[in-house]
Amino acid sequence: MTTLLSGTVHVETRAVTVGNYTVHVRCWTPEVRLPGKVPVLLFHDSLGCIALWRDFPERLAVASGRVVIAYDRPGFGQSSVREDILPASFIADEGRTVVPALCEQLDLTRFVVCGHSVGGGMAVHTAAQHPEKVTALVTIAAQALIEDRTLEGVREARTAFADPGAFDRLALYHGDKARWVLDAWTESWLSPAFAHWSLDDALAGVRCSTLAIHGAMDEYGSIRHPEHIANSTGGQKVILEGRGHTPHRECPDLLVETISSFLVNIS
């Protein structure tokens, strides 16, 4: 149980089986849970895991009155080791493989999807693939297409992680899986097979209310991304001035307030 200034959250950790993988899942249930409000399912970024959300899930659970669920994708955090090379379809594949297993084993029938960075793309695909289950879509610093700024940011990060200290910090969260995690990010995005990737097909299939949040100073993408997501879905965009790629660390209170306000009228 976690006690926050604004309320109490009960935390439960579970293991879900997805094919040959064991997936680590954590659920935050607020003591004051609003009736009729479906859970929020979080999708982490390319180097992320449950722990790297920090206290954002707890804050969001209290503020929204909803259960918040996060998981480590196979190969990340405390989930099973993964050694394969990610296919170019890996963003779309998340909604086709992992999400159905989560729905079945966690008894999820309807939910909000919320993803950070590449997790935002996974949330978009999930909303498009499961319109009968997804009641709303939130993206945070998501990429909608390949942009020079995105690729340059990945190249710079690959160089930065050549420093042993930086790599050791990544290993704190992913252990022996850290090298796979890093390569899965950099080599996927910089691969020629990924050069023409976009979310266009998935965005065309989104039928729920949508909110695209983006930092004006995001080092991995310009405001073209939230504009494209919002325009393609008839949704809303919010630009966080002076913020970069990780609003859940840079301005968690503002991010929670922005998302909670959007979700007020969502079942």
Side-chain angles (χ1 to χ4, degrees):
M1 184 172 68
T2 301
T3 302
L4 300 179
L5 291 177
S6 55
T8 302
V9 178
H10 298 272
V11 185
E12 178 187 7
T13 299
R14 295 184 57 177
V16 169
T17 301
V18 180
N20 295 324
Y21 302 110
T22 298
V23 171
H24 181 63
V25 180
R26 188 164 295 161
C27 305
W28 293 262
T29 301
E31 190 170 63
V32 180
R33 184 177 177 185
L34 298 180
K37 300 298 185 181
V38 303
V40 179
L41 179 62
L42 300 180
F43 297 78
H44 65 71
D45 63 293
S46 292
L47 299 182
C49 60
I50 293 171
L52 283 168
W53 281 111
R54 307 286 176 84
D55 64 353
F56 169 73
E58 301 167 19
R59 291 171 178 264
L60 183 59
V62 170
S64 66
R66 298 170 183 263
V67 174
V68 175
I69 303 167
Y71 70 98
D72 294 337
R73 297 202 301 274
F76 296 79
Q78 296 185 50
S79 290
S80 295
V81 171
R82 186 170 179 177
E83 298 178 336
D84 58 324
I85 296 174
L86 291 181
S89 61
F90 78 97
I91 297 175
D93 291 344
E94 195 72 12
R96 291 191 287 254
T97 57
V98 177
V99 172
L102 293 174
C103 289
E104 180 180 358
Q105 295 173 61
L106 299 178
D107 295 324
L108 289 175
T109 56
R110 299 174 75 237
F111 49 94
V112 173
V113 290
C114 175
H116 172 236
S117 192
V118 75
M122 293 173 177
V124 170
H125 275 281
T126 299
Q129 293 163 6
H130 305 281
E132 76 288 356
K133 295 180 181 294
V134 177
T135 64
L137 163 66
V138 179
T139 65
I140 307 166
Q143 300 85 19
L145 44 87
I146 297 296
E147 189 179 40
D148 288 344
R149 183 191 295 194
T150 307
L151 299 182
E152 184 58 33
V154 174
R155 292 188 189 98
E156 291 178 0
R158 182 167 63 177
T159 300
F161 276 105
D163 176 81
F167 186 81
D168 288 347
R169 287 191 292 274
L170 185 66
L172 289 175
Y173 296 97
H174 302 287
D176 293 341
K177 298 184 289 290
R179 174 52 61 185
W180 181 90
V181 167
L182 181 59
D183 289 345
W185 174 41
T186 60
E187 305 317 299
S188 294
W189 282 86
L190 297 177
S191 168
F194 211 65
H196 301 291
W197 171 87
S198 80
L199 284 178
D200 285 354
D201 288 345
L203 289 169
V206 173
R207 298 291 178 263
C208 61
S209 299
T210 301
L211 173 64
I213 304 170
H214 207 83
M217 306 300 290
D218 192 319
E219 57 271 38
Y220 294 103
S222 71
I223 61 171
R224 288 178 60 198
H225 298 277
E227 288 174 347
H228 190 61
I229 293 170
N231 291 340
S232 298
T233 60
Q236 307 172 37
K237 72 174 186 297
V238 171
I239 307 301
L240 304 177
E241 297 298 331
R243 307 300 182 180
H245 190 62
T246 54
H248 57 288
R249 296 206 295 267
E250 298 171 48
C251 53
D253 290 335
L254 176 58
L255 182 63
V256 166
E257 180 183 356
T258 300
I259 296 174
S260 297
S261 296
F262 168 71
L263 293 179
V264 164
N265 296 318
I266 303 296
S267 62

